[in-house]
Every structure is written in structure tokens, then in C-alpha cells.
């Protein structure tokens, strides 16, 4: 039966309870909608939202993340990053680990060493980024072959991501040329961009730890992850050495990475006299900072768990609590307090209030070219 507009109005006037019922119904619907929205956002006074095809992302200042997927069953995934455990249990496995490696050259020793890690591989994800050049193409091809073999075994890793840089790369790849002072600012700026791209693409809400492991690190203790996690430090760097044969042909070791250091008065004075766009790169006689270098503090008879505070780190083997990255510590591709890339990352982490520590007697070994 159809009613005219006037008939409806007359019926409402005669029976005011109809009007009250309609208003109440609208109010209930409104409150239900608003109440649900407030419940989703009450974890923080500041909310952020981002929508795209396939889902809605709601984040908040206190790291509580909610992802709403437009699935048929309206499934909702909750990630409370405040409760994400990044603690250490030496006998077990605490938290998911993301191992990240910028790779220019594939070394079978690096991959074999990675496969020997005692940490549960099902809780380890790997991420790699390659330069857009012939050397990067070859490294990617060799890694893909190695990945296929490993992932077909019981020791397979949880997830493996391979990326290509969307920026140019230096073609100078011989060790002597890579480490020349004149190319450091450009080279390390490119490395910083690559590291950031790799990090931001691969880190997940479930990541507890990030291990930065250089592609040239060919020997570490199998217990590397457990050993470093046990220190419970936000940023922790191992000491990078290199095996070689001395003049008598006998096996020996020598320090390799000089980017793990403590700031010095000389270093600060050099920085004061620099232009804003200039950087200090450690390990070069042209820039004599006289900083205490962790590489020179190795004691073969000392406790391997001995710690020392650091102001700069290299990228050889650095374990980072994932919250440090989530809070904004990245690898500056620009001069940051006259530091760049990994050393700039250490400075940024400290500016955010995080402790940066080194293990002078805990050695990992770099490939000897």
C-alpha cells in the first residue's frame, strides 16, 4: 500500500510514537557506528588511516597496528607492536628474525655460513638487494640457484625477498677502488639508499630482530643470533676480522672493519670545521680522528661477551631490535652530523635514545680477496 507525503505526516501527528521510534532507530545506528570506530581508535589519541584496494590500515602513535582486510568473511588481523617480544632465550628461539644483505657479489661461503645458523630457520626471513649492473645480475642469478636448493630442504627459511635497486650503482667493484676515500660519500650514499629500500620493503609487524649481515661475511659462529640476542641490546655490533696467511705462510687474523668506534675530541673538532655537506669517514689517514676503534680492542684471551659502548657502527654483522628501525632510525644517505650510512644510523639511534654497543672479542670473518 502506498501513502502520500501528506498522509504520512498526518499519521505521524496522530501517532507521535512513530516519530519517536524513527528518531531512536537513527540514533542507535549512529551510536553503533561511532562506538565501533572509537573502539578501534581508543588505543591512542592520535590515529592515522590509509586506505587502498583490498584493505584499510589503521595505525597509532603507540605502535598498535590494526589491519582490516576486505575479505568475504570480514576477517580482521590485529598486530599489537607494544607486546611484540624481542627478548632472548638462549636455549630456544624468541621472535622472528629478518636478515638483510645488500649484495653485489654472491659468495658460496656466505650462503653456506647462513645455512649453518642454529636459530630455527622457519623463524628467519631473508632480504637481499642487488645493484643494476652486470655484477648484480650475476649475483642475483647465483643466489636464485642457491635459494632453490635450500628451500627444497627441511632447513628452508620462512621467506626470501630479492630486490633490484631503483637507483644507479658505482661500477668500481675492486676492493681497492671501493675503499678509496674520494668515492666514499657517493658510494655510501648509494648504499644507504639501498639499505633503506631493503629495510622498508621487508620488515613486517612480526619482525622482532633485524640482522644486517654483509655479503662478504663468510664465517660466523652458528650460534650468532642466539649469542647476540642474549645481550638484549637495541643495537649490537660484532667485531669484523679477516683470515689470511702471514709472511711465513702461517694462518693469521687481522682487523678489517674500522667503522665501529667511540667518538673522540679530535673527531668532534674536525666536524666543527666542516661544511654542512661534508662527512667524516673513519679509517683514512687524511682524516685522523684518533677515535678508539673496536677493531683494535680485540683480546684473544678475553671474554667473548665483553661489551664496549660505541658511537659508530659498520654493517658487517649488526643486530638491531626492530623497534629501533620502527622508531625512525634509518641509514641517512645525506650528511647527518657529518656521518653517513651505517655510522649515521648509529648516530640517529643514539639521538632517539637507544644504546649502541659493540662486542670486541666476538669475531666474524670477512672474505679475503
Amino acid at each position: 500500500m502506498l501513502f502520500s507525503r501528506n498522509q504520512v505526516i498526518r499519521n505521524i501527528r496522530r501517532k507521535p510514537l512513530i516519530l519517536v521510534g524513527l528518531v531512536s532507530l537513527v540514533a542507535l545506528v549512529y551510536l553503533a557506528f561511532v562506538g565501533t570506530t572509537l573502539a578501534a581508535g581508543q588505543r591512542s589519541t592520535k590515529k592515522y588511516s590509509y586506505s587502498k584496494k583490498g584493505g584499510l590500515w589503521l595505525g597509532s602513535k603507540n605502535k598498535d597496528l590494526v589491519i582490516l582486510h576486505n575479505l568475504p568473511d570480514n576477517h580482521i588481523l590485529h598486530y599489537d607492536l607494544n607486546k611484540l617480544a624481542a627478548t632472548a632465550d638462549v636455549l630456544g628461539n624468541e621472535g622472528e628474525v629478518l636478515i638483510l644483505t645488500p649484495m653485489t657479489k654472491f659468495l658460496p661461503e656466505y650462503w653456506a655460513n647462513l645455512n649453518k645458523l642454529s636459530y630455527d630457520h622457519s623463524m628467519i626471513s631473508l632480504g637481499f638487494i642487488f645493484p643494476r649492473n652486470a655484477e648484480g645480475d650475476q649475483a642475483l642469478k647465483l643466489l636464485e640457484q642457491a635459494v632453490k636448493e635450500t628451500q627444497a630442504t627441511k632447513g628452508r627459511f620462512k621467506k626470501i625477498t630479492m630486490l633490484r635497486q631503483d637507483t644507479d650503482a658505482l661500477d668500481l667493484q675492486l676492493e681497492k677502488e671501493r675503499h678509496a676515500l674520494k668515492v666514499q660519500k657517493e658510494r655510501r650514499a648509494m648504499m644507504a639508499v639501498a639499505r633503506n629500500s631493503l629495510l622498508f620493503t621487508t620488515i613486517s609487524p612480526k619482525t622482532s630482530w633485524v640482522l644486517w649481515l654483509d655479503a662478504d661475511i663468510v664465517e660466523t659462529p652458528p650460534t650468532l643470533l642466539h649469542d647476540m640476542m642474549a645481550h638484549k641490546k637495541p643495537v649490537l655490533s660484532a667485531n669484523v676480522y679477516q683470515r689470511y696467511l702471514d709472511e711465513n705462510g702461517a694462518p693469521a687474523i687481522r682487523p678489517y672493519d674500522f667503522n665501529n668506534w667511540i667518538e673522540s675530541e679530535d673527531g668532534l673538532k674536525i666536524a666543527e670545521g666542516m661544511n654542512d655537506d661534508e662527512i667524516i669517514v673513519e679509517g683514512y689517514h687524511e682524516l685522523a680522528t684518533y677515535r678508539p676503534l673496536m677493531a683494535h680492542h680485540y683480546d684473544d684471551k678475553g671474554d667473548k661477551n665483553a661489551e664496549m659502548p660505541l658511537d659508530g657502527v659498520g654493517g658487517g654483522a649488526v643486530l638491531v631490535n626492530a623497534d629501533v628501525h620502527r622508531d625512525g632510525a634509518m641509514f641517512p644517505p645525506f650528511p647527518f652530523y657529518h656521518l653517513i650510512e651505517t655510522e649515521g644510523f648509529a648516530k640517529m639511534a643514539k639521538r632517539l635514545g637507544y644504546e649502541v654497543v659493540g662486542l670486541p672479542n666476538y669475531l666474524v670473518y670477512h672474505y679475503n680477496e
Side-chain angles (χ1 to χ4, degrees), residues 164-228:
R164 299 303 300 271
Q165 291 178 216
D166 56 1
T167 56
D168 294 332
L170 289 177
D171 291 329
L172 302 176
Q173 295 301 335
L174 294 179
E175 185 171 13
K176 184 177 180 180
E177 295 172 320
R178 284 204 315 267
H179 294 288
L181 179 59
K182 64 181 180 180
V183 302
Q184 286 310 297
K185 185 177 180 181
E186 182 183 8
R187 173 180 175 269
R188 297 191 65 177
M190 291 180 176
M191 282 296 300
V193 171
R195 287 183 185 275
N196 291 332
S197 297
L198 181 58
L199 171 66
F200 300 147
T201 303
T202 56
I203 193 169
S204 82
K206 292 184 178 180
T207 303
S208 294
W209 301 93
V210 177
L211 175 68
W212 290 96
L213 189 68
D214 272 359
D216 294 325
I217 301 299
V218 295
E219 182 184 344
T220 70
T223 54
L224 174 70
L225 288 169
H226 285 131
D227 293 344
M228 296 186 77

Side-chain angles (χ1 to χ4, degrees), residues 22-40:
L22 290 173
V23 172
S24 299
L25 179 60
V26 171
L28 287 173
V29 171
Y30 175 80
L31 289 174
F33 174 79
V34 173
T36 302
T37 303
L38 291 177

Side-chain angles (χ1 to χ4, degrees), residues 112-245:
N113 181 71
L114 201 62
N115 277 281
K116 292 178 184 177
L117 291 177
S118 60
Y119 205 84
D120 185 349
H121 287 195
S122 68
M123 299 181 71
I124 298 176
S125 294
L126 307 178
F128 303 90
I129 190 166
F130 302 85
R132 289 187 176 277
N133 56 26
E135 203 167 17
D137 293 342
Q138 179 64 12
L140 175 59
K141 180 180 178 180
L142 293 174
L143 178 62
E144 286 179 339
Q145 181 178 346
V147 166
K148 290 178 181 178
E149 295 174 358
T150 295
Q151 295 302 88
T153 68
K154 292 183 179 179
R156 61 184 298 154
F157 295 99
K158 178 180 180 180
K159 181 181 179 181
I160 297 177
T161 305
M162 303 178 194
L163 305 176
R164 299 303 300 271
Q165 291 178 216
D166 56 1
T167 56
D168 294 332
L170 289 177
D171 291 329
L172 302 176
Q173 295 301 335
L174 294 179
E175 185 171 13
K176 184 177 180 180
E177 295 172 320
R178 284 204 315 267
H179 294 288
L181 179 59
K182 64 181 180 180
V183 302
Q184 286 310 297
K185 185 177 180 181
E186 182 183 8
R187 173 180 175 269
R188 297 191 65 177
M190 291 180 176
M191 282 296 300
V193 171
R195 287 183 185 275
N196 291 332
S197 297
L198 181 58
L199 171 66
F200 300 147
T201 303
T202 56
I203 193 169
S204 82
K206 292 184 178 180
T207 303
S208 294
W209 301 93
V210 177
L211 175 68
W212 290 96
L213 189 68
D214 272 359
D216 294 325
I217 301 299
V218 295
E219 182 184 344
T220 70
T223 54
L224 174 70
L225 288 169
H226 285 131
D227 293 344
M228 296 186 77
M229 286 179 188
H231 289 264
K232 302 179 182 179
K233 298 298 180 181
V235 180
L236 184 69
S237 179
N239 205 355
V240 180
Y241 265 55
Q242 189 177 58
R243 296 191 186 278
Y244 74 106
L245 299 178

Side-chain angles (χ1 to χ4, degrees), residues 92 164 248 292 345 352:
R164 299 303 300 271
N248 298 317
F345 160 72
L352 287 168

Side-chain angles (χ1 to χ4, degrees), residues 278-298:
E278 293 182 300
I279 64 169
I280 298 176
V281 184
E282 191 52 55
Y284 295 86
H285 63 83
E286 297 94 328
L287 295 170
T289 63
Y290 300 103
R291 290 165 171 164
L293 306 179
M294 186 171 73
H296 294 157
H297 284 256
Y298 169 63

